[in-house]
Amino acid sequence: MASLLRTTARMRLFSAHSIVRPTSRLPMPAFAAASSRHMASAAAAAAVPDAGEQPFFDDEPRGPIIKTEIPGPKSQEAIKRLTKVFDTRSLNMMADYTSSFGNYLADLDGNLLLDVYAQIASIPVGYNNPSLLLAASSPQMASSIINRPALGNFPSHDWADILETGILSVAPRGLNQVFTGQSGSDANELAYKAAFMWKRRQERGGADVDFTPEEMSSAMNNQAPGAPSLSILSFKSAFHGRLFGSLSTTRSKPIHKLDIPAFDWPQAPFPALKYPLEAHAEENAKEEQRCLDETERLITTFHHPPAAVVIEPIQSEGGDNHATPAFFRGLRALTRKHGILLIVDEVQTGVGATGRFWAHEHWGLDDAPDMVTFSKKAQTAGYYFGNPELRPNKPYRQFNTWMGDPARAILFRAIIKEVERLDLVRNTANTGEYLYAELERLAQQYPAEVKNLRGKGQGTFIAWDSPRRDEVLKKAKSVGINIGGSGERAVRLRPMLVFQRHHADILLDGLEKVFKS
Amino acid sequence: MASLLRTTARMRLFSAHSIVRPTSRLPMPAFAAASSRHMASAAAAAAVPDAGEQPFFDDEPRGPIIKTEIPGPKSQEAIKRLTKVFDTRSLNMMADYTSSFGNYLADLDGNLLLDVYAQIASIPVGYNNPSLLLAASSPQMASSIINRPALGNFPSHDWADILETGILSVAPRGLNQVFTGQSGSDANELAYKAAFMWKRRQERGGADVDFTPEEMSSAMNNQAPGAPSLSILSFKSAFHGRLFGSLSTTRSKPIHKLDIPAFDWPQAPFPALKYPLEAHAEENAKEEQRCLDETERLITTFHHPPAAVVIEPIQSEGGDNHATPAFFRGLRALTRKHGILLIVDEVQTGVGATGRFWAHEHWGLDDAPDMVTFSKKAQTAGYYFGNPELRPNKPYRQFNTWMGDPARAILFRAIIKEVERLDLVRNTANTGEYLYAELERLAQQYPAEVKNLRGKGQGTFIAWDSPRRDEVLKKAKSVGINIGGSGERAVRLRPMLVFQRHHADILLDGLEKVFKS
């Protein structure tokens, strides 16, 4: 803890872009210094607005440190102990968070990895971020931890303030209400429930029309009309969570769904585009139209009619599948045309990662989505909405004991302030532009290693297909980098918002080492 | 915050039962002092083991304070502001948690209520409990707040220790594993998923039998056999949460279920017993046998066969419905006989409220339940299990990004230590015994007000039916007491574990005032 406090005391309070110093004076990470990267990147640098940069954290390590195989002996011992009480078969690395800092993840054996996976895309502004530590050490945080309210019944007197100065201050354009939850799955299911209640209200003829006795009694028996035969339409390869309703809209991998009962809900094809997008504009447009046509057919003919369509701006767990803004605008038009709702699942794309605060800002919609769900980097969860009709007509219809967690809402507020203070959305856009250009070069140099590079103009939300993906991810650890995969063969980059050019250089050098091996 | 720190410094470190002082020297709450309660209770006192008692917190208020109507002018203003961004139609009271302490809940207008509802049964050891404040202010807590891990992939090096010294140290007998989640609904759905995977493994012939291609492809289409036609059997009036799977097992009220699609799953009748139980033993036994018979019929004939039965030890949201240990033992036998699992939902009954740490300890089972779910007073959620076969045969089948929250697990550990330090389960058993005896007397005195008193021997988990329930709840506020209801007409007491005899006296006096009015 001593080191954290020291860091806090030395916390920098200038904007990331207020000081520009020559690239040559950047603190060169030990690992990257000997490589050829900086010569290779000189040409690309001119295209990037912020060629010179100031590190966000004085105390951040200068590069990865690899002392042992991963897991090393101490980690192995700790894993052995944990295995007795916890399923460790999905364990990737036993972490030591007290020794992690900024973009670097530590383990018990003294290894320190540049982390471009970031707890499955959910660490926003670096490990042990000093500003977040201040918020987490505040009396307000302590009170919210130990006096957790049932928010729907007994909200705390500062709840309006916490919402207004935090979560709501980043609400997507056109959406001014929030319903708080606890995880991405939970956020989506709450949004689905809101959609079903809204749809039935339309069918019933408005908020004032009361439930019929038949609806009341059939609902208690899980039968229509009280428990209606409605559905949520999702897309092939989508991931929206793993609770029973959200899992019914998830179509990522069999292992996520096997043996779990599911609702008979429709799935539309997601466009299978060719990359780079700009080189295949015409055939991609055709493919997107085909998918929109099939979506419309399902909306109008599926035997359990959809109340809403749910979609990710970039299918993340499903393999980093992109579509163009035209596709999403088409989807918005379709949902309007057929009187159903559009739910945009920004659980993984939200909070800056694509170079906009919300990824759907890239689409140029005239007409906001009906709901936008969030979690992960927000460190809390829930959904935004704008239409007052998405508040059910009676209380206790959208309700649960906790209805979110003020502690996490306070943390999200601190995250938002940090994103603003360091201009991190712009940083992510700029770093992403640089990184993408360098990856294009690597793709040309190692065409067998980097296929279907994607995420241009999408901040650092970048991925490519790799014929030996799992081996690449494993080898990356040995050169000091923690990377994740998505889908069957994609390498996905999900760095934090404090990921800068000098981190990108370390990543690129590491990847080149792996590709050469 | 100053007052909290002062309290911490003066925190008492002796056991509740180490000092006995005469009842007459108890700090008499201002509100109760003028009443007749203490004479009336003199006779009952002899039956109670700990007639003299030491308050747990020196600084706890001595009684309620009522300064204004509730909501008062400041609260009304705050509610008006909150309503702009948050649905306040279910708001009961706008709370000021910084001024709340122990069993007393404060509002913005200077009112201070004895709280026997406790955030829908979810505050365990008092508002601003000094021991919890210490835990919430620790470096470990701050680190766990700001470095939230994806526990399945990157557990923290101290996760095994947090589990072993916390959550697992109170695991029900026979259950030595835990899977962590985030809410009661979430905990139940995770348990349901484990049950479905377990059941299919039995049907498939063991863990080594791989999924068929047909299972893999049908699962992706939400169809059997990959998404099997199995069910969870629950009981009429049950409440197990409000996500899509858990809501399908919830049968409390139409308002909880209307307009939400549900699985076609079976519900068995829950015994409709006559109270007091001991006076109607024979007819109650018949009623319970009827319900067991119908349960068995559903298990063996329902068109979507159950993989598990889920049941609350006391149906809480559904109206505080009790059954006898014999009924639960019968249910355990039935589930064993038919090769399905028994899930005990202790979300509301768990963590000491019934005078045992887990309510199902009252049943005298030889054979532990297969899973026990928890949340609320644990301030974290999840399910316990003992059978290694309830770990799925492959990783990533029971998985999500966060898989619980170490911050909340650290808090639960502090709660457990506080429960042990102050011997709070025994306190709750003793206070409950006293309170129940006094309520019996009130029931005789006001037979039109207190009907079907229930919860004898169940700690402070006490309820009764009231013909003018909502009026009673409202009037209770005016005499300084915050009480909740359950079902259609039950008044339910859900005080914290630090609720003592002198608090019970205030409650009893207040109730008498309400009954007289």
Side-chain angles (χ1 to χ4, degrees), chain B residues 101-145:
Chain B
F101 193 78
N103 291 274
Y104 290 88
L105 176 64
D107 75 5
L108 290 171
D109 296 284
N111 299 302
L112 192 64
L113 275 68
L114 179 68
D115 188 3
V116 297
Y117 193 28
Q119 308 300 321
I120 318 181
S122 70
I123 295 287
V125 292
Y127 293 112
N128 287 307
N129 177 291
S131 302
L132 298 200
L133 181 60
L134 279 182
S137 311
S138 69
Q140 190 182 28
M141 180 66 84
S143 176
S144 72
I145 293 276

Side-chain angles (χ1 to χ4, degrees), chain A residues 160-420:
Chain A
D161 186 66
I162 292 169
L163 291 175
E164 286 169 5
T165 60
I167 294 176
L168 283 170
S169 73
V170 292
R173 196 169 55 87
L175 309 178
N176 56 15
Q177 304 274 309
V178 70
F179 191 94
T180 49
Q182 298 203 74
S183 67
S185 282
D186 186 26
N188 283 332
E189 297 215 349
L190 291 165
Y192 298 173
K193 287 177 72 172
F196 288 125
M197 290 188 268
W198 174 86
K199 184 67 184 170
R200 288 292 294 136
R201 173 191 187 136
Q202 310 305 310
E203 292 177 346
R204 204 175 272 127
D208 300 335
V209 182
D210 216 345
F211 308 118
T212 65
E214 193 196 355
E215 284 178 312
M216 310 264 273
S217 61
S218 58
M220 296 308 288
N221 290 320
N222 293 7
Q223 303 292 334
S229 291
L230 294 173
S231 65
I232 303 291
L233 182 145
S234 62
F235 289 85
K236 276 188 179 133
S237 307
F239 185 92
H240 300 293
R242 303 181 61 153
L243 298 164
F244 284 83
S246 48
L247 189 61
S248 292
T249 56
T250 284
R251 312 279 183 166
S252 43
K253 291 179 183 171
I255 200 76
H256 297 157
K257 292 173 70 76
L258 274 158
D259 295 350
I260 312 301
F263 288 107
D264 182 17
W265 289 355
Q267 61 176 326
F270 190 84
L273 302 191
K274 293 192 177 162
Y275 302 95
L277 299 179
E278 57 279 14
H280 304 87
E282 200 177 329
E283 53 191 318
N284 284 345
K286 260 189 213 155
E287 166 66 0
E288 292 191 331
Q289 190 54 52
R290 180 187 75 85
C291 294
L292 287 173
D293 291 347
E294 177 61 8
T295 303
E296 183 163 26
R297 193 187 68 77
L298 287 167
I299 291 173
T300 51
T301 66
F302 196 78
H303 50 280
H304 299 309
V309 168
V310 63
I311 194 160
E312 301 153 274
I314 299 166
Q315 287 192 331
S316 307
E317 301 302 307
D320 273 63
N321 308 314
H322 292 248
T324 71
F327 174 77
F328 292 105
R329 288 195 299 264
L331 200 60
R332 167 76 287 191
L334 270 188
T335 50
R336 274 279 176 244
K337 177 178 168 191
H338 294 290
I340 65 175
L341 302 178
L342 178 62
I343 303 170
V344 178
D345 175 345
E346 293 245 24
V347 168
Q348 188 152 165
T349 52
V351 191
T354 69
R356 302 281 181 96
F357 200 93
W358 301 107
H360 75 268
E361 292 171 24
H362 290 284
W363 304 342
L365 293 178
D366 295 326
D367 181 11
D370 298 292
M371 288 182 267
V372 171
T373 62
F374 61 93
S375 182
K376 289 195 183 277
K377 284 193 182 63
Q379 293 281 305
T380 183
Y383 67 95
Y384 292 103
F385 61 102
N387 183 345
E389 289 190 5
L390 286 170
R391 266 193 195 177
N393 64 339
K394 289 176 197 283
Y396 287 104
R397 300 192 67 192
Q398 188 78 297
F399 184 88
N400 58 65
T401 296
W402 284 327
M403 290 175 55
D405 183 345
R408 294 284 167 195
I410 290 167
L411 187 72
F412 187 25
R413 181 172 62 182
I415 291 164
I416 292 164
K417 302 295 173 212
E418 186 73 346
V419 167
E420 288 168 355

Side-chain angles (χ1 to χ4, degrees), chain B residues 326-495:
Chain B
F327 174 77
F328 292 105
R329 287 195 298 265
L331 199 59
R332 167 75 288 193
L334 269 188
T335 50
R336 275 278 176 244
K337 176 178 169 192
H338 294 290
I340 66 175
L341 302 178
L342 178 62
I343 303 169
V344 177
D345 175 344
E346 292 245 22
V347 168
Q348 188 152 165
T349 53
V351 192
T354 69
R356 302 281 182 97
F357 200 93
W358 301 107
H360 75 268
E361 292 170 26
H362 290 285
W363 304 342
L365 292 180
D366 294 325
D367 181 11
D370 298 292
M371 287 182 269
V372 172
T373 62
F374 61 95
S375 182
K376 289 193 182 279
K377 283 193 183 62
Q379 293 281 305
T380 184
Y383 67 95
Y384 292 103
F385 61 102
N387 183 344
E389 289 189 5
L390 286 169
R391 266 194 196 178
N393 64 339
K394 289 175 197 283
Y396 286 105
R397 300 193 68 191
Q398 187 77 296
F399 184 89
N400 58 64
T401 296
W402 284 327
M403 291 175 53
D405 183 345
R408 293 285 167 194
I410 291 167
L411 188 71
F412 187 26
R413 181 171 63 181
I415 291 164
I416 292 164
K417 303 294 173 212
E418 186 73 347
V419 168
E420 288 168 357
R421 183 176 76 83
L422 298 175
D423 203 3
L424 293 179
V425 180
R426 187 154 81 108
N427 171 68
T428 301
N430 292 345
T431 307
E433 196 174 341
Y434 171 71
L435 179 59
Y436 190 89
E438 290 298 303
L439 285 166
E440 272 185 321
R441 179 194 313 272
L442 275 187
Q444 284 169 359
Q445 221 174 326
Y446 302 94
E449 295 283 350
V450 181
K451 293 174 184 295
N452 299 323
L453 180 67
R454 47 204 187 264
K456 185 172 187 172
Q458 301 287 322
T460 55
F461 212 99
I462 295 171
W464 63 89
D465 292 334
S466 163
R468 50 166 192 147
R469 192 262 313 267
D470 293 348
E471 193 188 340
V472 167
L473 301 185
K474 200 172 169 206
K475 283 201 172 163
K477 278 218 172 52
S478 71
V479 300
I481 298 167
N482 183 42
I483 316 188
S486 65
E488 295 302 333
R489 58 182 181 282
V491 177
R492 65 170 152 173
L493 304 183
R494 294 293 176 276

Side-chain angles (χ1 to χ4, degrees), chain A residues 81 89 92 95 97 119 128 147 150 153-154 157 164 193 204 222 226 242 257 259 263 392 396-397, chain B residues 81 89 92 95 97 119 128 147 150 153-154 157 164 193 204 222 226 242 257 259 263 392 396-397:
Chain A
R81 177 179 171 195
R89 290 171 300 173
N92 180 316
Y97 294 105
Q119 308 300 321
N128 286 306
N147 303 311
N153 283 164
F154 303 93
H157 67 283
E164 286 169 5
K193 287 177 72 172
R204 204 175 272 127
N222 293 7
R242 303 181 61 153
K257 292 173 70 76
D259 295 350
F263 288 107
Y396 287 104
R397 300 192 67 192
Chain B
R81 177 179 171 194
R89 289 171 300 172
N92 180 316
Y97 294 105
Q119 308 300 321
N128 287 307
N147 302 311
N153 284 164
F154 302 93
H157 67 283
E164 286 169 6
K193 288 177 72 172
R204 205 176 271 126
N222 293 6
R242 304 181 62 153
K257 292 173 70 76
D259 295 350
F263 288 109
Y396 286 105
R397 300 193 68 191

Side-chain angles (χ1 to χ4, degrees), chain A residues 3-64:
Chain A
S3 68
L4 288 188
L5 293 175
R6 182 170 51 83
T7 306
T8 309
R10 293 172 58 189
M11 195 172 78
R12 310 187 68 135
L13 291 164
F14 52 83
S15 155
H17 299 282
S18 62
I19 300 177
V20 178
R21 52 176 184 175
T23 311
S24 63
R25 288 178 55 204
L26 269 178
M28 278 300 108
F31 182 83
S35 86
S36 61
R37 167 66 31 207
H38 299 93
M39 288 194 309
S41 63
V48 174
D50 291 274
E53 70 178 359
Q54 183 71 25
F56 294 133
F57 310 110
D58 275 350
D59 289 353
E60 193 177 30
R62 296 186 144 223

Side-chain angles (χ1 to χ4, degrees), chain A residues 85-87, chain B residues 163 167-168 176-180 374 381-385 391:
Chain A
V85 293
F86 191 76
D87 188 349
Chain B
L163 291 175
I167 294 176
L168 283 170
N176 57 14
Q177 305 274 308
V178 70
F179 192 94
T180 50
F374 61 95
Y383 67 95
Y384 292 103
F385 61 102
R391 266 194 196 178

